[in-house]
């Protein structure tokens, strides 16, 4: 199984460093020999605080815009929205700080350098020889002990200086064998792309952090002095073994409370308990924890072993199957490292960000990106890692009720295209020209509800469906019912946008339409899932009757002049035929309203749409297209896009690089939009899994999009809907062994080579189909 990243030189940039994480703490290891840098994050360090982000007069503005759209004045409606409906920018994910390890007297004469990331055990290692001394460094971030550990060993005594910095308003002080870090996030931080007279403000209510670095060594710790430099530095003399313990506590409590939790003494208490454990004990608990999750799925794509470093493999014209397998397993690794029970949902950069001004504020972009982060989670048998997105959806559904009431005079809850740790649900934009294209989109609630229902489908947890999923789905549907209008026999959400896209009309870029296919598809998907959920739960009330009466009168799938699926309420001139978003294909994937089996005609429109959009795009866009081509049962085209996404991207692309149409993969295998966005890693991971297993039309489909090149191999441990674990082996592109196991008694339909096989499964008994 391909599960090792390997390099023969240190990282110079963030996009070359190696990621570690436990859901809350994230670390990027550079592996430098003279002055090592480890950038550190905590998932609750965000700017801002809970509070009102509403714009006065927004409801009246929306009503005026709706009237203008009905009068055919779409450009005027956009300007109205931008001036009077859009609100404040939301908040930004912050960095915690950096830890530095300097070896005194180091030279540049380094030999035998190796830097690795072991995905199975989530351990980064660096080894090298310098000045005739052999060095080994080991790094990991533990979930069981909620800490980062670093071990520095050498075969001869050496001396080190340990220093650190921290976020925002900060201080670093030394006390005996430890460094104490304190920091505070700003309560206002304007995005880097928005000119603001007051871009950064502190009012004392921001999230605060305390962190401790403790050193245990067989050498000597230099005594403290009154010199300022030494007071914030640990100096370790004549050591062959140094262990660094790192832990952190933040003042964050919850999305709806000011972050007032005490941090300093809580962090001291945590370190006292942590340091009672040896390095080996913490390491063993860590590897046991992560390997159990990672090894739930085992892969063999039939590739040949490669002796090349990972970055050299990426630079090679030949993207071998082993590299594709490594990309897939890296995606699974990132899920385990960034999304664990009790952590926040993964944002645009997962949990890894080294910048005070993060790209796109590193927030939750809900018109594709945050949801894409969770596409591969359930199918890769990582159910507990799905809990953070459920928690974020709960929070959004609570705040979104006030937004629905004040902005639309509607029932239920609504959320727009951005959110943050405070679960804000209002439209952003801050009067920016052209902000309608992203800010006005109000359909993210329905998309998040798809994740709730899928959680039930994969687990069959009826209590979860009853107590969590159904109530939230119902509130989202109430909003749609409140704002829908009947139009030519269809219930439409109007006016509407298709995320970040536009068309040409009347000499302007137009974002608004009477309806858009994506908005209709999301509402249709929600209503149909609610209908299924109500039957499972035995609910038959007036609300259910209304849902059932409308669910088949929402979806609109019309053919364009070139055979494509129309995106808007007309066959308009597209502004960018190669646009990165393919939002109007939502019903095909991630939803499964349309499949190649149940609606071949619309499936052909989907295919034609993808052909016209092309195989280029941002990194995450290519990940989405991998999923779509796999769902079209075209594994060869899907694999082609995987290899496109594996195109090497330097950490600092050429200034002429087209960031909107040509993404790729950085040296550390992070997805390149560019800049780095983790959604592309997760999207392609989901797409590769769809080559081997798809759950649609009430069936478990085996090898539905197996690429011709993958003629022999196996994948074991994938999870199908119905809580069925599936092992598949194949030769000559045909399944030779399919094994199923489930904790429930049930009948499943297994589709192999187009043939349906009905199987009766008994709890915890392995059933061999082939």
């Amino acid at each position: 199984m391909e599960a090792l990243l390997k390099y023969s030189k240190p990282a110079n940039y963030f996009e070359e460093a190696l990621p570690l994480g436990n859901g809350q703490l994230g670390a990027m290891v550079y592996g430098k020999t003279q002055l090592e840098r480890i950038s550190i994050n905590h998932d609750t360090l965000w700017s801002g605080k809970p509070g009102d982000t509403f714009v006065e007069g927004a409801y009246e503005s929306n009503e005026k815009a709706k009237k203008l759209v009905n009068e055919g004045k779409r450009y005027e409606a956009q300007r109205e929205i931008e001036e009077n409906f859009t609100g404040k920018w939301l908040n930004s994910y912050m960095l915690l700080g950096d830890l530095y390890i300097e070896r005194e007297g180091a030279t540049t004469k380094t030999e035998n350098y190796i830097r690795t990331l072991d995905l199975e055990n989530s351990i980064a290692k660096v080894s090298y020889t310098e000045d005739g001394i052999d060095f080994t460094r080991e790094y990991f971030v533990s979930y069981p002990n909620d800490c980062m550990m670093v071990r520095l060993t050498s075969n001869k005594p050496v001396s080190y200086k340990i220093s650190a910095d921290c976020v925002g308003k900060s201080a670093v002080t030394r006390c005996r064998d430890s460094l104490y870090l304190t920091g505070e996030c700003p309560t206002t931080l304007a995005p880097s792309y928005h000119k603001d007279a007051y871009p950064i403000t502190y009012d004392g209510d921001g999230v605060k952090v305390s962190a401790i670095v403790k050193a245990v060594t067989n050498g000597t710790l230099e005594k403290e002095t009154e010199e300022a430099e030494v007071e914030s530095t640990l100096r370790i003399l004549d050591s062959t073994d140094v262990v660094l313990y790192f832990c952190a506590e933040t003042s964050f409590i919850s999305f709806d409370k000011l972050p007032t939790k005490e941090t300093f003494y809580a962090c001291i208490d945590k370190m006292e308990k942590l340091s009672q454990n040896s390095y080996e004990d913490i390491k063993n608990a860590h590897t046991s924890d992560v390997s159990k999750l990672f090894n739930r799925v085992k892969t063999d794509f039939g590739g040949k072993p490669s002796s090349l470093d990972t970055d050299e493999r990426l630079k090679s014209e030949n993207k071998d199957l082993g590299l594709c397998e490594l990309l897939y397993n890296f995606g699974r690794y990132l899920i385990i490292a960034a999304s664990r029970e009790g952590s926040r949902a993964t944002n645009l950069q997962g949990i890894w960000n080294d910048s005070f001004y993060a790209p796109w504020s590193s927030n939750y972009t809900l018109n594709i990106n945050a949801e894409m982060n969770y596409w591969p989670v359930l199918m890769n048998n990582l159910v507990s890692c799905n809990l953070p997105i459920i928690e974020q959806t709960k929070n959004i559904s609570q705040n979104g009720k006030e937004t629905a009431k004040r902005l639309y005079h509607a029932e239920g809850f609504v959320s727009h295209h951005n959110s943050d740790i405070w679960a804000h649900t209002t439209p952003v934009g801050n009067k920016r020209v052209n902000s309608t294209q992203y800010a006005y989109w109000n359909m993210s609630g329905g998309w998040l509800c798809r994740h709730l229902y899928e959680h039930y489908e994969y687990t069959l947890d009826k209590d979860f469906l009853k107590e969590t999923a159904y109530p939230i789905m119902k509130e989202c549907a109430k909003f749609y019912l409140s704002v829908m209008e009947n139009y030519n026999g269809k219930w439409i959400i109007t006016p509407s946008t298709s995320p970040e896209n536009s068309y040409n009309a009347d000499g302007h870029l137009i974002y608004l339409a009477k309806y858009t296919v994506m908005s209709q598809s999301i509402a249709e998907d929600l209503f149909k899932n609610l209908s299924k959920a109500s039957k499972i739960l035995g609910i038959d009330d007036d609300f259910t009757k209304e849902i059932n009466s409308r669910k088949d009168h929402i979806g609109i799938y019309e053919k364009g002049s070139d055979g494509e699926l129309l995106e808007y309420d007309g066959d308009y001139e597209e502004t960018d035929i190669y646009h990165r978003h393919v939002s109007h294909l939502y019903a095909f994937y991630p939803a499964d309203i349309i499949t190649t089996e149940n609606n071949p005609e619309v499936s052909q429109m989907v295919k034609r749409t993808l052909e016209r959009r092309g195989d280029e795009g941002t990194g995450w866009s290519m990940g989405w297209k991998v999923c779509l081509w796999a769902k079209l049962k075209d594994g060869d085209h899907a694999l082609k896009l995987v290899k496109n996404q594996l195109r090497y991207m330097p950490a600092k692309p050429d200034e002429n690089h087209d960031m909107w149409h040509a993404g790729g993969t950085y040296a550390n295998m992070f997805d390149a939009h560019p800049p780095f966005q983790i959604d592309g890693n997760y999207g392609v991971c989901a797409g590769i899994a769809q080559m081997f297993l798809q759950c649609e039309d009430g069936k478990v489909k085996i090898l539905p999009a197996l690429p011709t090149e993958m003629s022999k191999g196996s994948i074991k441990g994938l999870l199908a809907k119905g809580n069925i674990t599936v092992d598949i082996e194949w030769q000559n592109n045909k399944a030779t062994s399919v094994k199923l196991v489930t904790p429930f008694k049930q009948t499943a339909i297994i589709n192999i080579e187009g043939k349906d096989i009905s199987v009766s499964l008994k709890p915890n008994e392995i059933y061999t189909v082939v």
Side-chain angles (χ1 to χ4, degrees):
M1 181 164 65
E2 287 267 7
L4 185 72
L5 274 61
K6 182 178 63 138
Y7 306 87
S8 56
K9 59 185 177 183
N12 289 316
Y13 300 101
F14 175 85
E15 296 83 1
E16 298 168 346
L18 299 177
L20 300 169
N22 67 0
Q24 284 199 321
L25 273 179
M28 295 293 290
V29 177
Y30 285 68
K32 292 179 175 293
T33 58
Q34 294 173 292
L35 180 61
E36 170 66 301
R37 175 191 177 191
I38 306 170
S39 61
I40 306 170
N41 294 96
H42 193 286
D43 70 334
T44 62
L45 285 177
W46 287 67
S47 66
K49 59 183 178 181
D52 190 332
T53 56
F54 295 103
V55 174
E56 290 299 322
Y59 169 74
E60 291 76 13
S61 174
N62 186 53
E63 289 298 298
K64 184 177 179 180
K66 188 185 298 185
K67 183 174 183 292
L68 288 168
V69 169
N70 287 334
E71 294 171 353
K73 300 176 182 178
R74 298 184 179 190
Y75 180 73
E76 290 83 353
Q78 290 170 190
R79 297 301 299 132
E80 170 62 33
I81 288 167
E82 287 157 8
E83 285 295 322
N84 301 307
F85 187 79
T86 61
K88 300 175 183 177
W89 301 110
L90 299 186
N91 296 292
S92 180
Y93 182 56
M94 310 294 295
L95 72 166
L96 191 158
D98 291 285
L99 177 64
Y100 298 99
I101 304 168
E102 180 182 2
R103 185 173 83 81
E104 294 186 354
T107 69
T108 58
K109 297 177 181 178
T110 301
E111 299 176 314
N112 306 319
Y113 182 95
I114 301 175
R115 178 169 59 105
T116 61
L117 176 60
D118 174 357
L119 303 182
E120 180 181 354
N121 294 300
S122 188
I123 291 178
K125 280 188 178 181
V126 174
S127 64
Y128 59 95
T129 301
E130 190 173 70
D131 301 328
I133 305 172
D134 296 331
F135 292 89
T136 301
R137 298 177 181 176
E138 196 169 67
Y139 319 70
F140 64 87
V141 178
S142 166
Y143 179 76
N145 286 283
D146 191 21
C147 66
M148 180 178 70
M149 302 294 293
V150 181
R151 189 170 200 170
L152 317 170
T153 60
S154 58
N155 66 344
K156 294 180 182 179
V158 293
S159 298
Y160 297 98
K161 282 184 180 178
I162 312 296
S163 59
D165 55 38
C166 198
V167 65
K169 285 190 172 182
S170 63
V172 179
T173 57
R174 174 188 172 179
C175 183
R176 293 186 293 276
D177 59 358
S178 300
L179 295 180
Y180 291 80
L181 289 65
T182 58
E184 178 183 342
C185 298
T187 46
T188 302
L189 180 65
S192 59
Y193 47 83
H194 180 75
K195 293 181 179 179
D196 195 305
Y198 302 98
I200 306 174
T201 59
Y202 294 87
D203 64 7
D205 287 337
V207 181
K208 298 170 183 65
V209 62
S210 294
I212 300 174
V213 185
K214 178 183 176 70
V216 176
T217 177
N218 63 359
T220 303
L221 273 165
E222 185 178 66
K223 293 182 179 180
E224 299 168 76
T225 73
E226 295 182 357
E227 295 178 24
E229 179 186 356
V230 179
E231 284 181 350
S232 59
T233 302
L234 287 172
R235 189 160 180 253
I236 300 167
L237 308 176
D238 300 324
S239 170
T240 60
D241 193 347
V242 178
V243 173
L244 300 179
Y245 294 75
F246 179 94
C247 67
E249 286 286 332
T250 80
S251 62
F252 178 81
I253 300 172
S254 71
F255 75 101
D256 56 351
K257 292 181 173 61
L258 283 173
T260 57
K261 189 173 69 174
E262 196 281 326
T263 64
F264 185 71
Y265 293 104
C267 196
I268 290 175
D269 183 57
K270 177 184 278 190
M271 180 57 77
E272 286 180 350
K273 293 176 181 177
L274 177 65
S275 57
Q276 292 173 14
N277 299 281
S278 71
Y279 179 86
E280 289 300 331
D281 286 343
I282 295 171
K283 179 183 174 181
N284 289 338
H286 162 72
T287 56
S288 175
D289 168 64
V290 297
S291 62
K292 284 178 183 176
L293 292 173
F294 187 82
N295 287 325
R296 286 184 181 174
V297 173
K298 296 274 194 176
T299 59
D300 177 6
F301 290 3
K304 296 179 181 179
S306 174
S307 60
L308 293 175
D309 288 350
T310 303
D311 52 342
E312 294 302 318
R313 294 175 77 179
L314 287 166
K315 292 174 183 177
S316 172
E317 289 295 321
N318 175 35
K319 308 300 182 185
D320 62 275
L321 289 179
L323 186 61
C324 298
E325 183 179 344
L326 184 60
L327 180 66
Y328 172 69
N329 286 328
F330 185 60
R332 296 193 302 113
Y333 166 83
L334 292 175
I335 295 168
I336 298 164
S339 185
R340 297 296 297 270
E341 185 173 1
S343 74
R344 305 309 102 193
T346 48
N347 58 56
L348 274 174
Q349 274 71 42
I351 53 170
W352 298 283
N353 162 49
D354 71 336
S355 174
F356 193 80
Y357 287 103
W360 324 120
S361 298
S362 195
N363 57 23
Y364 298 117
T365 306
L366 298 175
N367 62 19
I368 173 65
N369 314 92
E371 293 90 346
M372 183 182 279
N373 287 357
Y374 286 87
W375 286 356
V377 174
L378 294 171
M379 65 174 63
N380 279 294
N381 221 334
L382 295 169
V383 172
S384 64
C385 296
N386 203 49
L387 298 178
I389 191 64
I390 292 171
E391 191 64 28
Q392 181 69 9
T393 303
K394 285 182 188 177
N395 300 342
I396 285 172
S397 71
Q398 292 185 49
N399 280 349
K401 290 179 182 179
E402 187 68 14
T403 305
K405 181 180 178 181
R406 292 179 64 170
L407 268 62
Y408 298 93
H409 289 189
E411 294 185 73
F413 85 90
V414 65
S415 58
H416 292 78
H417 107 289
N418 258 179
S419 191
D420 52 25
I421 198 172
W422 313 110
H424 285 124
T425 56
T426 50
V428 299
N430 208 20
K431 300 183 183 297
R432 197 178 190 190
V433 174
N434 298 326
S435 59
T436 304
Q437 64 178 309
Y438 51 84
Y440 189 67
W441 189 75
N442 58 8
M443 299 300 297
S444 58
W447 195 334
L448 290 169
C449 283
R450 157 151 283 282
H451 287 265
L452 299 180
Y453 190 67
E454 278 195 336
H455 191 87
Y456 165 74
E457 288 184 299
Y458 277 92
T459 64
L460 298 186
D461 185 341
K462 198 170 179 179
D463 289 339
F464 169 79
L465 182 65
K466 179 181 179 180
E467 297 166 9
T468 301
Y470 186 85
I472 295 173
M473 293 164 68
K474 182 176 180 179
E475 290 302 312
C476 185
K478 282 182 179 179
F479 172 75
Y480 294 159
L481 290 170
S482 295
V483 299
M484 279 178 167
E485 296 180 5
N486 195 291
Y487 178 72
N488 294 336
K490 293 283 188 178
W491 290 100
I492 65 169
I493 293 174
T494 185
S496 185
T497 64
S498 196
E500 302 182 34
N501 206 353
S502 62
Y503 57 92
N504 295 314
D506 302 323
H508 296 287
L509 292 179
I510 302 298
Y511 312 116
L512 289 173
K514 185 80 174 175
Y515 63 82
T516 61
V517 172
M518 187 195 211
S519 293
Q520 296 302 118
S521 297
I522 290 175
E524 179 188 13
D525 188 43
L526 175 64
F527 280 36
K528 289 185 173 179
N529 287 338
L530 268 169
S531 179
K532 288 184 280 189
S534 65
K535 289 179 182 178
I536 294 165
L537 298 173
I539 300 172
D540 185 15
D541 53 18
D542 290 342
F543 173 79
T544 303
K545 289 180 174 64
E546 187 168 14
I547 290 296
N548 287 332
S549 71
R550 294 198 187 190
K551 66 182 176 66
D552 295 323
H553 304 283
I554 301 173
I556 302 175
Y557 307 101
E558 297 176 328
K559 185 183 291 188
S561 57
D562 197 20
E564 81 281 17
L565 180 64
L566 288 183
E567 191 165 359
Y568 298 95
D569 57 355
D571 198 347
Y572 305 116
E573 178 190 349
E574 295 171 276
T575 305
D576 179 5
I577 193 174
Y578 307 115
H579 197 270
R580 61 198 177 279
H581 284 264
V582 283
S583 306
H584 48 317
L585 307 187
Y586 178 93
F588 193 75
Y589 189 85
D592 55 4
I593 302 168
I594 305 297
T595 69
T596 54
E597 185 175 336
N598 73 22
N599 199 323
E601 183 180 353
V602 176
S603 296
Q604 283 300 310
M605 297 183 206
V606 170
K607 181 178 180 180
R608 183 63 191 135
T609 301
L610 287 171
E611 290 171 343
R612 297 174 82 249
R613 285 288 165 100
D615 292 338
E616 294 296 340
T618 60
W620 63 262
S621 177
M622 285 191 280
W624 193 354
K625 291 173 184 176
V626 172
C627 295
L628 288 160
W629 280 108
K631 293 288 280 184
L632 281 167
K633 312 302 182 284
D634 191 337
D636 289 340
H637 205 132
L639 183 59
K640 177 187 175 185
L641 276 158
V642 172
K643 293 184 177 184
N644 277 6
Q645 193 164 346
L646 283 167
R647 176 173 47 216
Y648 175 76
M649 183 67 64
K652 302 297 178 185
D654 184 276
E655 60 182 11
N656 297 318
H657 181 82
D658 183 358
M659 66 180 288
W660 301 108
H661 296 94
T665 298
Y666 292 115
N668 63 0
M669 297 207 74
F670 270 168
D671 170 68
H673 178 304
F676 159 55
Q677 286 187 197
I678 204 166
D679 39 32
N681 288 104
Y682 292 135
V684 74
C685 182
I688 292 172
Q690 296 281 350
M691 296 176 181
F692 310 116
L693 184 72
Q694 295 180 19
C695 299
E696 60 182 24
D697 305 314
K699 304 172 184 179
V700 177
K701 298 184 177 181
I702 305 298
L703 302 182
L706 184 67
T708 305
E709 189 178 343
M710 291 187 190
S711 60
K712 177 183 177 181
S714 66
I715 188 162
K716 300 177 180 181
L718 290 178
L719 190 65
K721 291 180 180 179
N723 205 336
I724 303 170
T725 301
V726 184
D727 293 351
I728 309 169
E729 297 178 26
W730 65 90
Q731 289 189 23
N732 300 320
N733 296 98
K734 292 186 178 182
T736 56
S737 175
V738 177
K739 295 180 179 180
L740 316 171
V741 65
T742 176
F744 303 106
K745 180 181 179 180
Q746 58 178 302
T747 299
I749 299 175
I750 311 301
N751 182 277
I752 303 176
E753 295 182 27
K755 297 178 181 179
D756 293 343
I757 303 169
S758 180
V759 298
S760 296
L761 303 175
K762 297 178 182 179
N764 303 313
E765 290 189 12
I766 296 175
Y767 188 100
T768 302
V769 182
V770 179

